[in-house]
Amino acid sequence: MDARDCAAAWWEMVARNLRSIPRSCSTLGRKIAALYNSFTSKPLKEHIFPPLMNMLIFFNFFKAPFLVDLKRPELKIAHTVNFYIRVEPGVILGIWHTVPSCRGEDAKGKDRCWYEAALHDGNPIIVYLHGSAEHRAAPHRLKLVKVLSDGGFHVLSVDYRGFGDSTGKPTEEGLTADAICVYEWTKARCGTTPVCLWGHSLGTGVATNAAKVLEEKGFPVDAIILEAPFTNIWVASINYPLLKIYRKLPGFLRTLMDALRKDKIVFPNDENVKSLSSPLLIIHGEDDNTVPLEFGKKLYEIAHNAYRNKERVKMVIFPPGFQHNLLCKSPMLLKTVRDFLSKQWA
């Protein structure tokens, strides 16, 4: 007897026992019977694979680094404040705001209100949308934030719903709503200061989803930077290191695709960029084994062909040594970003 047969037998026993329950409990009985019918009417893989794929895509249960007090960012990075934004009922996002290093002395001892007002100081702003797993205090993310802060940028490091200390459960639609909310919140407080959406890995899908929605509203984002992007999550998942070993199993790829469809997880960067007009910079490491460089090149090709103004799209490939998470260590990263944004925002 396999696992499905055991589960079905258990539900049948429960259903038989329910017949002896008084009529006052009939509502409960109907609910349990409905659950039983729902379970036995689907193959076991339909119960297992969608939640499993959700876990593997977002990996938000892995909340490393551990034992970090996210309410006290000053223990991890200078001139930074923690605050929260309510996106919708039940969803509150944790965010770290790091001001440019040139304002570090001014920031000492200041509260959230001072930081919020500082968004109006004319220094460009980056809303950083991280990849899967961990949270806003992950070491490689802090390294990038420090580089950008030293380069004169405000950085808002966002933990999506279900990540870090943010409430709610992650879905593609939910993460997109989170990014839009933070972008609009920032634009409402920064005056004419430009705001850039920066997405890394999974965050590239969040960034282009949000940018497409804002474009359709008639408010294209000021700029987009995609670090280590994929074309869409289906293609990326097939090449995901943890799943590569299962690719040759009969029916695995079809089961994988069915699970992603059921969870409504697509993150279609390849389709989204066709609808955008915002300045778009794609950066990718030559030795990225998590999201191979070929995906970034393909996305650039699609975007370049779709954009009317070709000068608004650029791709920069970084030499080996930085892999998937450490472009922040490249001495050419800051200059690449500043040169591109300065030209686009001139």
Side-chain angles (χ1 to χ4, degrees):
M1 180 179 288
D2 60 20
R4 186 178 173 222
D5 292 337
C6 288
W10 185 87
W11 280 107
E12 283 188 81
M13 180 184 71
V14 171
R16 282 198 304 271
N17 291 336
L18 282 172
R19 297 189 186 101
S20 62
I21 295 176
R23 183 174 256 178
S24 59
C25 296
S26 61
T27 300
L28 175 62
R30 285 196 297 272
K31 287 183 178 179
I32 293 178
L35 286 172
Y36 166 73
N37 290 333
S38 173
F39 183 87
T40 56
S41 65
K42 300 176 184 177
L44 186 61
K45 67 181 181 181
E46 289 189 25
H47 292 281
I48 294 176
F49 268 84
L52 177 62
M53 287 310 304
N54 189 285
M55 287 173 58
L56 289 174
I57 296 298
F58 299 115
F59 227 77
N60 60 302
F61 61 89
F62 184 62
K63 297 183 181 294
F66 307 106
L67 304 178
V68 174
D69 187 353
L70 293 173
K71 293 182 174 64
R72 301 184 64 193
E74 68 275 8
L75 299 177
K76 289 292 182 179
I77 187 168
H79 41 81
T80 299
V81 71
N82 178 69
F83 69 100
Y84 298 93
I85 291 179
R86 182 179 183 272
V87 179
E88 59 192 49
V91 178
I92 298 175
L93 307 182
I95 302 171
W96 282 1
H97 175 190
T98 304
V99 298
S101 294
C102 61
R103 302 215 60 191
E105 285 299 317
D106 299 336
K108 287 183 177 178
K110 298 299 194 301
D111 61 10
R112 177 192 166 182
C113 293
W114 180 89
Y115 277 81
E116 189 172 312
L119 291 170
H120 209 286
D121 65 9
N123 289 301
I125 303 164
I126 288 175
V127 174
Y128 179 64
L129 306 169
H130 64 63
S132 61
E134 302 181 298
H135 50 65
R136 58 193 184 277
H140 65 281
R141 292 166 189 162
L142 293 183
K143 285 187 177 76
L144 175 63
V145 172
K146 188 177 186 308
V147 167
L148 294 173
S149 173
D150 290 346
F153 291 92
H154 289 272
V155 185
L156 299 180
S157 304
V158 183
D159 267 329
Y160 319 109
R161 62 187 69 196
F163 287 78
D165 58 350
S166 298
T167 60
K169 295 181 179 180
T171 62
E172 179 172 350
E173 184 180 4
L175 268 60
T176 302
D178 296 344
I180 293 169
C181 177
V182 176
Y183 182 84
E184 291 181 333
W185 180 94
T186 306
K187 289 295 290 182
R189 288 158 178 79
C190 70
T192 58
T193 304
V195 181
C196 171
L197 287 180
W198 182 311
H200 172 241
S201 196
L202 178 69
T204 64
V206 181
T208 65
N209 273 357
K212 181 182 179 184
V213 172
L214 290 164
E215 185 98 26
E216 291 170 348
K217 287 183 177 181
F219 300 103
V221 302
D222 297 328
I224 308 164
I225 296 177
L226 303 180
E227 178 188 356
F230 46 81
T231 48
N232 61 69
I233 204 67
W234 294 3
V235 174
S237 296
I238 293 171
N239 289 274
Y240 191 60
L242 286 175
L243 298 178
K244 274 186 176 180
I245 57 176
Y246 300 106
R247 285 171 59 173
K248 294 184 179 180
L249 291 178
F252 174 76
L253 290 181
R254 179 168 182 173
T255 300
L256 174 67
M257 295 301 105
D258 288 345
L260 291 173
R261 287 191 190 95
K262 184 173 179 59
D263 277 345
K264 299 180 180 178
I265 302 176
V266 185
F267 290 109
N269 283 332
D270 49 359
E271 292 300 319
N272 288 340
V273 295
K274 296 176 184 178
S275 305
L276 304 180
S277 63
S278 304
L280 174 63
L281 173 63
I282 295 174
I283 54 178
H284 215 127
E286 192 174 328
D287 61 348
D288 189 333
N289 294 319
T290 304
V291 180
L293 174 60
E294 64 187 271
F295 294 164
K297 286 182 174 180
K298 180 62 177 177
L299 187 63
Y300 169 73
E301 179 185 338
I302 294 170
H304 190 263
N305 289 337
Y307 267 61
R308 292 182 179 179
N309 185 348
K310 308 300 182 185
E311 292 186 358
R312 288 203 148 200
V313 188
K314 183 177 181 179
M315 181 174 189
V316 176
I317 299 171
F318 288 74
F322 306 108
Q323 300 179 326
H324 185 63
N325 287 331
L326 297 174
L327 289 187
C328 54
K329 288 188 173 183
S330 170
M332 63 184 279
L333 176 66
L334 186 59
K335 185 178 187 305
T336 297
V337 171
R338 288 190 64 86
D339 287 353
F340 177 77
L341 293 179
S342 296
K343 178 180 179 182
Q344 298 297 328
W345 290 342

